[in-house]
Amino acid sequence: MAERILAIDDNRVNLKVVSASLEKGGYKVGTAQSGPEALKIVNEFHPDLILLDINMPDMDGYEVCRRMRKMPDVAGTPIIMLTANDTLEEKIKGFEAGADDYLTKPFQPAELIARIGVLLRRAARVHQEQPTTNSKFSAVFSLRGGVGVSVMAANLAAGYHQIWGQRVVLVDMVLNMGQSALMLNLPLRNTWADLASIPPDEIDEELVQNVLLKHESGLFVLAAPRTSVEGETVHIDSIRRVLDVLRAKFSYVILDLPHDFSDVTLTGLDYADDVILMMAPELASVRATVGALEVFDTLGYSRNEIHVAMNWIFERKGLARGDIENVMKKKISFMIPYASESIVTSINLGVPPVLEAETSPVGALFEDIAYNISKEEDRENRPDEPTVAWRRVLARQKARQKRK
Ligand SMILES: Nc1ncnc2c1ncn2[C@@H]1O[C@H](COP(=O)(O)OP(=O)(O)OP(=O)(O)O)[C@@H](O)[C@H]1O
Ligand SMILES: [Mg+2]
C-alpha cells in the first residue's frame, strides 16, 4: 500500500510541484493550504509523514507542529519542515516544536524523496519494535571515557527502580572492560560471556534471567565479561536477542555504552528510546560531544531524545555553560556538580549515591534526573502505591515551585 504524505503550504504552486514529485515517487498525497485546515483533516487522512511549510499567514508551521505533537494519533508521525530561511535559529525552533527533519527551499525533489525515505524507514522500525510490555531503553554514552557514563548509568538504573518499584535492569555493554557490576559491588558470578556459546535463537527468558546479577536494592545487572578476551566472544546477534528478551521482561533497561561507534554501540543506540550524553566542561569533551551529536544526526536520531548531562568530574574551573551550549547548538539538560566525596566513596563502597537520596544532595539530584526522563505514562499519573522515593521527588518539585 502506498504510504501517505500530507503536504501543508499556503502557496498553491508549491503544493502542486511537491505533490507531483511525491506522486511520482509512489506516495499518496493529501494537501492543506493552511495550518487550521491541516489540523482539521489530519486525523481523517492518517498520514505516514507530514511536510510542513513554516511561513504561513494564519498559523505558522511551528504552531501547527506543536499542536500536532499533542494529537495522540499524529504525535509520532514524522514531520519535515520546509522553509526559505536557512538560519540556525529557525532550525532549532523547528526541532523544539517537534519536527524530525528540515529542508531549505528551493530543494531538489531527489533530496526530498531521500529524506522522506529515511524517516519512513525509521518510523517503520520503531513501530515494529513496539514492545509488548512498553519498556523504556535509556542509553548512556560519551565518545570519551572517564566522564561518568558508568556512574550515570548505575544511578539512573537504581533511581528508576526505587522511584517506580518496577523491574529494572542495568546492561553493561562495555564488553571488553565494563565495570557496572563493580560499581554496585556485585561479585561476577555470571556475565555476558555465559551467553556467548549459545546460538542466538536459543537464548530465552530463562537463560537470560539466570545470568543476571541481583543487587540488594532489587535492581538487576547484566555484567560485562571478566576479560576482554571473553568479551570478544559475544556475537552481535546474541546481543540483539538478549536485548529483545529484556525488553519483554523489564520496564526500564539502561545501557552503559562503550566510548565509540562500534557495532555494539550502534546496536544499543538502535534500541534506545533516549540517550543521555555525558560530558565534562573541557575542550576535548566538548569536541567529542559535538562529534557524537553529528553522528546522531547522520544516523537519524532526532535531537529531541538526546539529553546532554554536564558532569563536573574535576574541581578546577571549566568552560562556561553558555559557551558550550552555543558550540553544541544544544541545551544542557542536567548539571552534575563535582562531588568527589559522595561519588568516589560510593564507587568504593558499591552503593550509588541515588540509593542515599534521603541524605545525599548528589543522590537526590540523580533521583530527580531519573524521574525526569522516566516514561511519560509513569509520570502522568500518581502511582497506586507511591514509593518513598516517588514522594521525595514530588516533595522536592513542590518545594522548588514554591520558591519561584
Ligand atoms: N561528579 C563527579 N565528581 C567527582 N568525581 C566524579 C564525578 N563523576 C564521575 N567521577 C569520577 O570519574 C571517574 C569516571 O567515572 P565513570 O567510570 O563513570 O566514567 P566512564 O565515562 O564510564 O568512563 P570509563 O568507562 O572509561 O571508565 C569515576 O572514578 C568517578 O569517581
Ligand atoms: Mg564506564
Side-chain angles (χ1 to χ4, degrees):
M1 220 169 64
E3 282 157 313
R4 308 164 69 85
I5 297 180
L6 177 61
I8 306 158
D9 198 319
D10 58 311
N11 182 319
R12 278 179 62 185
V13 178
N14 286 353
L15 271 185
K16 276 217 161 121
V17 174
V18 167
S19 303
S21 45
L22 290 178
E23 275 161 3
K24 236 163 93 198
Y27 296 109
K28 173 140 183 55
V29 185
T31 58
Q33 276 193 57
S34 73
E37 187 192 343
L39 292 167
K40 216 160 74 198
I41 65 167
V42 68
N43 275 329
E44 292 149 44
F45 183 68
H46 294 299
D48 296 298
L49 184 143
I50 295 163
L51 290 178
L52 178 56
D53 184 34
I54 291 183
N55 293 316
M56 295 187 291
D58 299 342
M59 185 191 290
D60 69 13
Y62 302 119
E63 186 55 30
V64 177
C65 191
R66 273 191 289 273
R67 293 195 188 198
M68 284 183 168
R69 285 304 179 228
K70 292 198 188 119
M71 303 167 75
D73 291 345
V74 199
T77 309
I79 296 181
I80 301 181
M81 286 204 162
L82 307 174
T83 179
N85 300 327
D86 188 18
T87 67
L88 190 63
E89 271 164 279
E90 289 227 331
K91 280 190 200 174
I92 291 174
K93 230 172 127 187
F95 286 125
E96 278 172 358
D100 297 279
D101 201 357
Y102 203 96
L103 208 55
T104 313
K105 297 189 223 175
F107 49 78
Q108 297 294 327
E111 184 176 8
L112 177 65
I113 300 282
R115 286 183 186 247
I116 288 174
V118 168
L119 284 176
L120 286 176
R121 269 199 304 282
R122 175 139 195 260
R125 198 180 72 205
V126 169
H127 206 71
Q128 206 177 53
E129 284 173 4
Q130 275 294 314
T132 39
T133 60
N134 220 5
S135 69
K136 167 158 181 160
F137 276 66
S138 296
V140 191
F141 178 74
S142 156
L143 262 185
R144 270 175 77 88
V147 294
V149 169
S150 299
V151 167
M152 175 62 97
N155 279 281
L156 208 52
Y160 282 147
H161 178 70
Q162 74 186 7
I163 294 170
W164 303 114
Q166 300 177 17
R167 277 169 61 83
V168 178
V169 61
L170 169 61
V171 182
D172 199 335
M173 301 279 281
V174 188
L175 297 177
N176 54 355
M177 50 181 237
Q179 300 187 326
S180 292
L182 204 75
M183 290 214 168
L184 292 157
N185 199 20
L186 287 167
L188 287 179
R189 207 166 294 128
N190 293 98
T191 74
W192 271 106
D194 300 322
L195 295 165
S197 59
I198 303 166
D201 53 357
E202 285 173 25
I203 296 178
D204 59 14
E205 284 168 11
E206 201 185 333
L207 278 171
V208 174
Q209 186 65 49
N210 279 335
V211 298
L212 297 181
L213 309 177
K214 191 166 183 187
H215 188 258
E216 57 190 19
S217 64
L219 170 70
F220 286 93
V221 179
L222 180 46
R226 292 166 193 85
T227 64
S228 57
V229 176
E230 274 189 338
E232 298 276 309
T233 60
V234 186
H235 195 267
I236 207 84
D237 291 338
S238 308
I239 297 178
R240 282 187 192 283
R241 176 69 197 156
V242 169
L243 294 180
D244 286 338
V245 168
L246 292 177
R247 159 141 55 210
K249 283 280 141 193
F250 286 86
S251 301
Y252 287 92
V253 182
I254 298 82
L255 308 177
D256 182 341
L257 291 182
H259 309 296
D260 56 30
F261 278 113
S262 61
D263 280 353
V264 174
T265 305
L266 293 177
T267 302
L269 287 171
D270 267 351
Y271 281 77
D273 295 296
D274 54 22
V275 180
I276 297 89
L277 191 50
M278 299 299 296
M279 69 181 303
E282 59 186 345
L283 199 57
S285 181
V286 174
R287 283 216 184 101
T289 308
V290 170
L293 285 169
E294 272 167 18
V295 176
F296 289 152
D297 263 359
T298 316
L299 295 176
Y301 294 96
S302 131
R303 288 202 163 201
N304 300 339
E305 51 196 21
I306 297 167
H307 314 275
V308 177
M310 170 66 69
N311 189 9
W312 285 82
I313 50 171
F314 46 72
E315 218 174 354
R316 64 194 147 81
K317 259 183 86 103
L319 300 173
R321 176 177 187 160
D323 293 345
I324 296 174
E325 290 180 336
N326 283 342
V327 173
M328 292 193 305
K329 303 181 185 95
K330 180 155 177 72
K331 292 272 180 219
I332 292 168
S333 305
F334 309 114
M335 294 285 258
I336 300 150
Y338 177 70
S340 71
E341 283 273 315
S342 33
I343 291 185
V344 178
T345 320
S346 75
I347 291 177
N348 293 337
L349 296 176
V351 182
V354 75
L355 292 175
E356 298 179 332
E358 179 81 64
T359 51
S360 150
V362 176
L365 175 64
F366 280 121
E367 201 172 60
D368 288 339
I369 294 175
Y371 179 87
N372 243 292
I373 50 181
S374 292
K375 292 185 228 169
E376 219 173 302
E377 61 189 71
D378 280 341
R379 274 181 291 126
E380 265 167 6
N381 308 304
R382 187 188 164 85
D384 293 336
E385 290 168 44
T387 61
V388 176
W390 185 88
R391 289 177 198 275
R392 233 180 357 236
V393 173
L394 274 279
R396 282 195 298 267
Q397 256 181 14
K398 251 196 193 146
R400 274 195 299 270
Q401 276 161 6
K402 243 192 190 158
R403 253 178 275 139
K404 270 187 197 160

